[in-house]
């Protein structure tokens, strides 16, 4: 279910993506947009230009499914339903792209458990941060690692990351735009690849192809670490080991003020969570109240030492 804030976007917000982002976010997958419903959503001559861009951006088979669905007649309710589907599936991508400040405000209070971060061995390593966003993990890693290469699909977030790095005097970070399925990194080129609240179990936010690609860039004996995985069992079934910080149940999401806590809970979580803030007059909201696992776990995979490079 997309959060209530999804209502601030409309189907036409897709036109703001550049062609590379259309390709990244519209390539079909279990967690993504259904091509047939995308074709229905693109009905109407006023969407000709967006439709042409979408068709160019998509893989051949998906483009054919979009074009076929667009050519079939559809009642207006079906078109509206299809548009809601597309916006719902793309909510996070639309937020990163159109409102990076809103996204940063949300994650500013979402601290990865310090015990989990301290357990990572990054000293002197070359680290890739996959789906780095505005740098929540990159900025931490750069204080320990020799070098951090931060990859993300959204340039506006990488620009924020660069700005934070400058403000914090961190000169060992390099940002690169890239897609999880085509990382701009060579084979076995990093000691540690980390995906923090990013690479997920379903395309286009992750999935099998993205996992193989993340594993490709890790040197023999190196590690791929998925922090706060969406679906730990999916990673465990693919050879990852699950790690969690004990006694993290009390972890909370922190905000600057009670007003910000209430507004952000209402926009991103639920009216119940906002009600909890009002009742408790609290600037910190336990993850349990939000119905979420706290950011205190990771799935870790190790590249075999004898893997040929
Ligand atoms: C929830 S944010 C997490 C950002 C950051 N790692 C953090 O912890 O704050 C997920 C990030 O993954 C990126 N992302 C999602 N799908 C992607 C893809 N297919 N290729 C590259 N980046 C992607 C998004 O642009 C976003 O910045």
């Amino acid at each position: 279910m997309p959060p209530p804030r999804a209502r601030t976007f409309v189907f036409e917000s897709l036109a703001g993506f550049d062609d590379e982002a259309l390709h990244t976010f519209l390539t079909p997958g279990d967690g993504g947009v259904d091509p047939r419903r995308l074709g229905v959503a693109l009905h109407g001559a006023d969407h000709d230009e967006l439709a042409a861009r979408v068709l160019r951006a998509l893989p051949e088979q998906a483009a054919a499914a979009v074009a076929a669905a667009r050519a079939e007649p559809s009642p207006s309710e079906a078109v509206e339903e299809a548009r809601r589907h597309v916006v719902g599936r793309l909510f996070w991508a639309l937020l990163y792209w159109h409102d990076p400040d809103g996204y940063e405000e949300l994650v500013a209070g979402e601290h990865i458990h310090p015990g989990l971060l301290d357990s990572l061995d990054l000293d002197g390593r070359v680290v890739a941060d996959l789906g780095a966003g505005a740098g929540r993990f990159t900025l931490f890693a750069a204080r320990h690692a020799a070098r951090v290469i931060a990859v993300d699909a959204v340039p506006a977030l990488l620009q924020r990351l660069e700005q934070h790095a400058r403000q914090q005097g961190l000169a060992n970070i390099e940002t690169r735009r890239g897609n999880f399925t085509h990382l701009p990194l060579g084979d076995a080129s990093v000691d540690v690849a980390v995906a923090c609240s990013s690479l997920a179990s379903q395309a286009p936010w992750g999935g099998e192809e993205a996992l193989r690609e993340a594993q490709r860039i890790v040197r023999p004996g190196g590690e791929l670490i998925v922090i706060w995985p969406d679906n730990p069992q999916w990673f465990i079934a693919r050879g990852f080991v699950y790690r969690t910080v004990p006694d993290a149940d009390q972890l909370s999401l922190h905000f600057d003020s009670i007003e910000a806590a209430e507004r952000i809970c209402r926009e991103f979580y639920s009216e119940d969570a906002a009600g909890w803030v009002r009742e408790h007059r609290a600037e910190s909201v336990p993850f349990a109240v939000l119905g979420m696992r706290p950011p205190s776990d990771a799935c870790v995979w190790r590249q075999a030492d004898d893997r040929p490079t």
Side-chain angles (χ1 to χ4, degrees):
M1 263 272 279
R5 174 85 198 269
R7 287 192 291 270
T8 58
F9 294 112
V10 292
F11 179 67
E12 288 69 25
S13 309
L14 259 72
F17 288 137
D18 68 10
D19 293 346
E20 192 174 330
L22 284 177
H23 172 75
T24 301
F25 297 131
L26 289 178
T27 292
D30 291 344
V33 170
D34 168 27
R36 283 200 55 77
R37 282 155 106 182
L38 179 57
V40 173
L42 283 164
H43 261 90
D46 46 341
H47 290 98
D48 281 352
E49 197 182 323
L50 177 59
R53 291 183 55 215
V54 165
L55 293 180
R56 277 197 305 273
L58 283 178
E60 205 175 320
Q61 216 181 341
V66 170
R70 187 166 192 248
E72 281 168 20
S74 280
S76 59
E77 308 81 66
V79 174
E80 285 315 312
E81 187 284 326
R83 289 181 181 164
R84 279 195 299 277
H85 162 80
V86 174
V87 172
R89 286 293 170 103
L90 290 184
F91 166 69
W92 288 104
L94 289 166
L95 184 75
Y96 306 144
W97 196 270
H98 289 292
D99 186 10
D101 290 337
Y103 170 68
E104 272 216 274
E105 187 187 25
L106 171 71
V107 292
E110 229 181 52
H111 303 301
I112 305 298
H113 196 295
L116 183 72
L117 293 175
D118 289 344
S119 74
L120 307 178
D121 180 10
L122 303 176
D123 291 350
R125 313 265 184 196
V126 176
V127 175
D129 186 3
L130 309 178
R136 172 168 45 174
F137 179 75
T138 309
L139 298 164
F140 165 81
R143 296 201 164 76
H144 302 270
R147 200 153 73 89
V148 186
I149 302 133
V151 180
D152 202 278
V154 177
L157 292 179
L158 291 177
Q159 282 156 16
R160 271 164 177 73
L161 194 167
E162 287 163 6
Q163 196 183 347
H164 297 319
R166 274 194 302 278
Q167 283 162 352
Q168 296 179 25
L170 295 165
N172 58 344
I173 296 174
E174 187 190 330
T175 60
R176 296 186 193 171
R177 185 174 185 183
N179 183 343
F180 288 157
T181 52
H182 291 93
L183 293 174
L185 287 148
D187 293 357
S189 59
V190 304
D191 300 308
V192 185
V194 174
C196 177
S197 178
S198 54
L199 188 112
S201 54
Q202 296 185 325
W205 326 111
E208 303 289 358
E209 193 185 346
L211 177 57
R212 277 195 302 278
E213 181 67 350
Q215 291 170 328
R216 176 186 67 77
I217 67 166
V218 178
R219 67 149 168 83
E223 285 180 328
L224 169 61
I225 303 169
V226 179
I227 294 177
W228 206 16
D230 67 318
N231 178 355
Q233 287 308 325
W234 188 87
F235 289 95
I236 293 166
R238 286 157 183 78
F240 284 71
V241 172
Y242 187 66
R243 276 198 217 153
T244 184
V245 178
D247 305 324
D249 304 355
Q250 300 310 313
L251 226 55
S252 294
L253 191 57
H254 304 283
F255 301 97
D256 286 345
S257 63
I258 295 170
E259 291 67 33
E262 188 180 344
R263 174 174 53 80
I264 293 172
C265 281
R266 180 174 304 107
E267 288 181 359
F268 288 98
Y269 296 100
S270 62
E271 195 50 58
D272 282 355
W276 186 95
V277 172
R278 269 198 309 280
E279 190 186 325
H280 291 80
R281 305 291 305 150
E283 290 173 10
S284 293
V285 187
F287 280 90
V289 168
L290 305 170
M292 287 166 74
R293 237 175 49 248
S296 56
D297 60 350
C299 286
V300 181
W301 173 87
R302 195 178 153 83
Q303 183 82 270
D305 282 308
D306 56 358
R307 176 185 186 252
T309 51

